[in-house]
Amino acid sequence: MRLKVLITREVFDEVLEYLSQYFEVTSNQSDIPMNPETLAMRLSDKQGALITLSDRIDTALLSRCPNLKAVCNIAVGYNNIDLEACTKAKVMATNTPGVLDDTTGDFTWALILATTRRLTEAEAYLRADQWDGWKLKQFLGLDVHHATLGIFGLGRIGQVVARRAVGFEMKVIYHDIRQAAPEIEQMCRASFVNKDELLAQSDIVTLHVPYSSATHHLIGKQELEKMKPTAILINASRGGVVDDAALIAALHSGIIAGAGLDVFENEPKLNPGFLELKNVVLAPHIASSSKATRFKMAMLAAQNLVAVLTTGHPPNLLNPF
Ligand code: DGY
């Protein structure tokens, strides 16, 4: 008898074909998001699942899926999975590290440049047919070259962002729970500072930490008040790392100059306060979304699923037991 797996959202045909060689596959190619009840029902007779960051895997769900052995996230972040609950239920959880670092780093730079140079605001002005000619003081922005870039989290993606700063001849500082090895600091030309120093010195603050209770609202009212009024904040990590309400208030009152955001609290719902602001660049969680990278992410997740259910040794196991 073939093992049964569920693919919770639309994937590339090649991924579907690959998994179909091994398993009886049920897939959601119509891409209709499943609520927790539907997910539990559809997973109740499955041995494995290829999931995305909008699927919550917790005790309540696991208790209804007695045959489940594998939950394989198509994402490097895994705050949607309760690892402890998975371990208790003897379910292996996996993610997709490594394959999306460059693409996510590139997009971080897209946000940095669009925000500092007010690109989306300027485009909206043009599209609204408001342009009546060149003006000396039109859409004055912030220079990226020679500015100070402050990186929270010098992990794989933070390092990519730092390395790309060389071309802009920037000073790079970073903060993390622990200082990086000297060779990494050297490669990134980045100096370790404490949190307050990073906030006070940076012209651009960019976040590259995983979301957890330790990083919940890492940037809130107090932190925003420590930033320069000319500075901008970039978040392509996870919603919840920033207190969105505090950020909206800071952008309104000029506590900081702007923000570029790919992620939000309560995605896909957006705090309507953001839509009233001109000094924020908004994207719908697409930092890793190049065709090549999203394909690699889905294929790696599928390979993890095959490995859990065939050998028991997936390449990217999050909860060894
Ligand atoms: C990740 O891999 O965690 C990304 O946020 C998915 O887009």
Side-chain angles (χ1 to χ4, degrees):
M1 246 204 15
R2 301 185 102 197
L3 299 179
K4 292 181 184 172
V5 302
L6 175 70
I7 305 175
T8 65
R9 299 299 297 268
E10 184 184 9
V11 290
F12 300 95
D13 290 347
E14 292 87 337
V15 175
L16 201 54
E17 282 156 23
Y18 170 67
L19 287 175
S20 302
Q21 291 170 35
Y22 296 87
F23 310 119
E24 184 183 321
V25 177
T26 305
S27 79
N28 179 13
Q29 288 300 86
S30 51
D31 211 26
I32 299 163
M34 293 184 209
N35 61 33
E37 177 56 33
T38 310
L39 181 62
M41 262 168 38
R42 300 240 174 110
L43 260 187
S44 60
D45 63 338
K46 307 290 186 296
Q47 278 81 24
L50 199 70
I51 61 170
T52 69
L53 46 85
S54 49
D55 302 311
R56 175 99 200 118
I57 306 295
D58 55 16
T59 306
L61 178 121
L62 293 168
S63 66
R64 296 176 61 183
C65 307
N67 304 321
L68 200 61
K69 297 276 170 285
V71 286
C72 301
N73 227 19
I74 308 178
V76 66
Y78 50 87
N79 53 297
N80 56 313
I81 304 176
D82 180 339
L83 287 186
E84 227 176 275
C86 283
T87 305
K88 267 195 199 138
K90 299 211 167 0
V91 171
M92 287 187 175
T94 66
N95 68 339
T96 61
V99 292
L100 51 84
D101 305 340
D102 281 309
T103 302
T104 304
D106 286 352
F107 192 79
T108 302
W109 277 99
L111 284 178
I112 291 173
L113 290 166
T115 308
T116 52
R117 301 304 303 273
R118 303 171 61 183
L119 187 61
T120 53
E121 187 188 348
E123 192 192 356
Y125 168 86
L126 204 61
R127 284 180 187 273
D129 202 17
Q130 289 177 308
W131 192 28
D132 56 3
W134 190 93
K135 292 189 182 96
L136 185 68
K137 289 163 73 175
Q138 203 159 42
F139 291 106
L140 299 175
L142 173 80
D143 274 328
V144 170
H145 65 83
H146 300 99
T148 297
L149 177 68
I151 302 176
F152 268 105
L154 199 66
R156 285 183 305 261
I157 296 170
Q159 288 175 33
V160 168
V161 173
R163 292 203 307 270
R164 306 248 190 297
V166 174
F168 290 98
E169 298 175 68
M170 300 176 87
K171 176 177 174 185
V172 180
I173 55 179
Y174 77 97
H175 182 71
D176 210 328
I177 41 174
R178 66 185 70 85
Q179 190 164 353
E183 55 275 18
I184 290 178
E185 288 190 337
Q186 216 173 0
M187 189 175 58
C188 297
R189 300 181 198 213
S191 316
F192 185 79
V193 292
N194 69 35
K195 184 176 166 181
D196 283 354
E197 285 168 338
L198 185 139
L199 292 168
Q201 292 174 21
S202 301
D203 298 305
I204 297 155
V205 173
T206 184
L207 308 174
H208 301 285
V209 296
Y211 179 71
S212 69
S213 53
T215 57
H216 178 72
H217 288 185
L218 175 74
I219 303 293
K221 183 173 185 292
Q222 279 181 2
E223 289 74 20
L224 291 160
E225 282 170 357
K226 287 176 184 163
M227 288 173 63
K228 296 180 187 179
T230 50
I232 64 155
L233 177 72
I234 302 295
N235 189 10
S237 62
R238 270 293 180 277
V241 173
V242 175
D243 177 344
D244 283 356
L247 177 58
I248 289 165
L251 289 168
H252 256 301
S253 58
I255 298 285
I256 65 167
L261 307 171
D262 186 47
V263 289
F264 305 89
E265 292 190 285
N266 310 313
E267 282 175 28
K269 287 204 181 94
L270 199 65
N271 186 320
F274 282 125
L275 300 177
E276 291 162 18
L277 292 163
K278 286 189 172 169
N279 53 347
V280 62
V281 174
L282 305 168
H285 204 145
I286 54 167
S288 62
S289 190
S290 72
K291 202 170 167 185
T293 292
R294 285 280 167 95
F295 183 84
K296 283 185 205 160
M297 289 164 67
M299 204 40 125
L300 181 55
Q303 286 159 356
N304 273 300
L305 183 51
V306 170
V308 174
L309 296 180
T310 57
T311 65
H313 298 290
N316 307 114
L317 183 60
L318 291 166
N319 58 334
F321 57 86

